Amino acid sequence: MPVPVPRQRAIPAVECGQAQAAPPGGPSKEETPRKEATVADTSATTHTSAAANTGTAANTQLTLLLIEDDPAGSPLVPDLLDSAGNPIRVRTARNLTEAERLLTHDVQCILLDLALPAPGRSSGDDDDELAVLKHVLRLAPRHAVLALTASGDAERGAEAVRVGAQDYLFRDELDGRLLSRAIRYAVERKRSDTAERRLAEGKLRAQENARLERGLLPTPLLDGSALRFAARYRPGRSRALLGGDFYDTVRTPDGTVHAMIGDVCGHGPDEAALGVELRIAWRALTLAGLCGDELLGTLQQVLEHERDDDEIFATLCTVDISPDGRRAGLCLAGHPSPLVARPGRPAELLPYDNNGPALGLLPGARWPRMQVELGAEWSLMLYTDGLIEGRIGEGRERLGQDGMVEMVRRQLASGLHGEQLLRAAVNEVRELNGGELTDDVAVVLLDRVP
């Protein structure tokens, strides 16, 4: 067994880690410089623990926090080396109060004596033999923990692993090589467990987002209508499925098709939740027979009651298409005007001179309903500002509505329609922007083909 490290004072904390003694049969300490002994032990230690050290950077020095109380002051931890031959630093705490103070960000592993009493318990209180371990796991949930128990008490050690320790060791069987390997193994196992837990949490978040997404991106209620429907949606938040944009389409019993698209200012989960509330409220009010100014005024009341901040607002565009499909009513609440494309005519924006204010900005506001002629065959595209506010190249110039109109005209001329048209439009906007867009993008397309 290597020469043990002398007991270090816990306060102030002393980090120790001399090189390990030469293996049996080698030159004595007086005959061989310490550097040579270190090299010899480095080779042996590296050979024995290469598998356990997978993924650990060679230039990262490990730090061990030893938590044990030996009234006799007998040495416990021998000299320790990592796989690269560097000394492992050791900090010693005689109780959990000292341990909490010494548990800094550079500590990778904790070696805990299970015989140490937990706070509020005496050493003779054995109601819960692992109370001290549970306390340390709560204190250091991100650190690897090695449990130290009496020789032969494998059952207690195994129970410690079940509770949350990475491994257990017998106090009377410690040597430098065994402990060094156990530390590296515990650190890597903790990293693996943490990565696995984060992966599982990521999957759960994705499933939760997917459930919310079904509320944000509804199935259109168009039974009995000859209109064709397509939609595209891309959130601006990184690794998110939801944003502040929302849309919906329903057909009422009189044959009128109502479509809506909106945008809550902001891109976070609160804005996404508010968008879902507004969409559901719009569908309920529309099916109840409201439209135009009356519907938007009621939606503004919903927004004012549900928002967390008085400065939160939402833009909205609604259209109600007559049962014969030849004309529509249009209401704009601070929202870009839809684009309409008809055979033999270039795609253009619908009138937006009577655009009312965004919802939530002006109490008692009004939103005029404009009547527009569509004709026998047409495509109507509703969109949020994320589609037109992307940059063009590396400059500050934005695509804008004029750029979007020209882009759609070109894509229609190439024969794109429906879902293909929307996919091409969103992809081209991303390419012009030089990468992902920072704002949410929602696009809805309604087609009438005789």
Side-chain angles (χ1 to χ4, degrees), residues 3-209:
V3 179
V5 176
R7 163 72 65 174
Q8 304 292 330
R9 294 180 58 195
I11 303 176
V14 177
E15 297 179 353
C16 59
Q18 295 96 3
Q20 195 172 3
S28 67
K29 187 176 181 180
E30 293 76 17
E31 296 172 346
T32 305
R34 188 169 183 82
K35 181 177 180 181
E36 295 179 5
T38 303
V39 173
D41 270 3
T42 300
S43 176
T45 307
T46 304
H47 176 74
T48 340
S49 59
N53 192 47
T54 302
T56 302
N59 58 354
T60 302
Q61 187 175 14
L62 292 174
T63 300
L64 173 72
L65 176 60
L66 169 64
I67 309 177
E68 66 95 21
D69 181 20
D70 186 353
S74 60
L76 176 64
V77 176
D79 288 348
L80 303 174
L81 296 175
D82 63 19
S83 61
N86 300 315
I88 297 176
R89 295 179 297 186
V90 179
R91 294 177 182 173
T92 302
R94 295 180 182 273
N95 53 57
L96 296 179
T97 302
E98 290 184 12
E100 186 172 0
R101 186 165 59 251
L102 297 176
L103 193 61
T104 54
H105 69 278
D106 57 333
V107 173
Q108 291 91 5
C109 186
I110 298 171
L111 179 59
L112 173 66
D113 188 354
L114 296 181
L116 192 70
R121 295 174 179 266
S122 63
S123 57
D125 187 355
D126 57 356
D127 290 343
D128 187 353
E129 294 182 339
L130 298 178
V132 65
L133 172 62
K134 295 175 182 177
H135 183 88
V136 168
L137 292 174
R138 289 192 297 269
L139 183 67
R142 297 180 178 85
H143 292 73
V145 177
L146 287 171
L148 192 63
T149 187
S151 297
D153 195 0
E155 183 176 349
R156 188 179 188 185
E159 182 67 13
V161 173
R162 188 192 67 79
V163 168
Q166 272 60 58
D167 204 350
Y168 68 93
L169 300 168
F170 294 136
R171 168 187 285 269
D172 298 337
E173 297 180 6
L174 285 183
D175 61 45
R177 189 171 299 176
L178 172 65
L179 183 53
S180 297
R181 183 171 58 186
I183 292 170
R184 295 194 299 274
Y185 169 77
V187 170
E188 293 306 321
R189 181 175 178 182
K190 184 65 177 180
R191 289 175 181 169
S192 176
D193 292 344
T194 300
E196 186 176 351
R197 186 187 72 250
R198 288 175 178 172
L199 179 61
E201 291 173 351
K203 290 181 179 179
L204 287 176
R205 284 195 298 270
Q207 292 171 359
E208 292 172 357
N209 284 344

Side-chain angles (χ1 to χ4, degrees), residues 393-440:
E394 298 180 357
R396 295 186 176 181
E397 184 181 358
R398 306 275 185 175
L399 177 64
Q401 287 181 289
D402 291 340
M404 179 201 68
V405 171
E406 290 298 325
M407 177 187 69
V408 173
R409 286 176 178 175
R410 179 169 24 87
Q411 292 168 344
L412 286 170
S414 67
L416 297 178
H417 298 281
E419 182 71 27
Q420 292 181 337
L421 174 64
L422 298 189
R423 185 183 302 111
V426 173
N427 289 342
E428 183 168 338
V429 169
R430 287 179 59 244
E431 292 172 2
L432 291 172
N433 190 62
E436 288 295 341
L437 300 165
T438 57
D439 199 2
D440 307 323

Side-chain angles (χ1 to χ4, degrees), residues 275-290:
V276 171
E277 291 179 276
L278 292 175
R279 183 195 66 75
I280 294 174
W282 177 88
R283 175 175 282 202
L285 294 171
T286 299
L287 293 175
L290 276 68

Side-chain angles (χ1 to χ4, degrees), residues 236-375:
R237 286 189 299 141
S238 175
R239 295 189 297 179
L241 296 175
L242 303 174
D245 291 2
F246 55 98
Y247 65 83
D248 204 352
T249 305
V250 299
R251 180 177 183 267
T252 48
D254 64 355
T256 302
V257 172
H258 303 260
M260 169 271 291
I261 195 165
D263 182 2
V264 177
C265 66
H267 314 291
D270 292 338
E271 289 76 14
L274 183 56
V276 171
E277 291 179 276
L278 292 175
R279 183 195 66 75
I280 294 174
W282 177 88
R283 175 175 282 202
L285 294 171
T286 299
L287 293 175
L290 276 68
C291 70
D293 186 75
E294 185 180 11
L295 185 148
L296 292 178
T298 308
L299 276 182
Q300 175 158 282
Q301 295 180 36
V302 173
L303 172 65
E304 291 171 346
H305 283 91
E306 296 297 329
R307 64 186 176 183
D308 295 330
D309 190 318
D310 290 343
E311 296 186 358
I312 296 295
F313 63 90
T315 66
L316 198 70
C317 167
T318 68
V319 294
D320 52 279
I321 303 168
S322 62
D324 64 7
R326 291 179 171 271
R327 63 192 60 86
L330 170 66
C331 286
L332 297 174
H335 201 89
S337 181
L339 177 147
V340 62
R342 289 166 281 213
R345 300 171 57 180
E348 60 183 353
L349 298 176
L350 290 179
Y352 52 90
D353 297 337
N354 292 327
N355 194 340
L359 303 181
L361 289 184
L362 298 176
R366 303 298 298 272
W367 296 270
R369 178 177 177 272
M370 297 172 283
Q371 188 77 16
V372 294
E373 295 295 326
L374 297 177

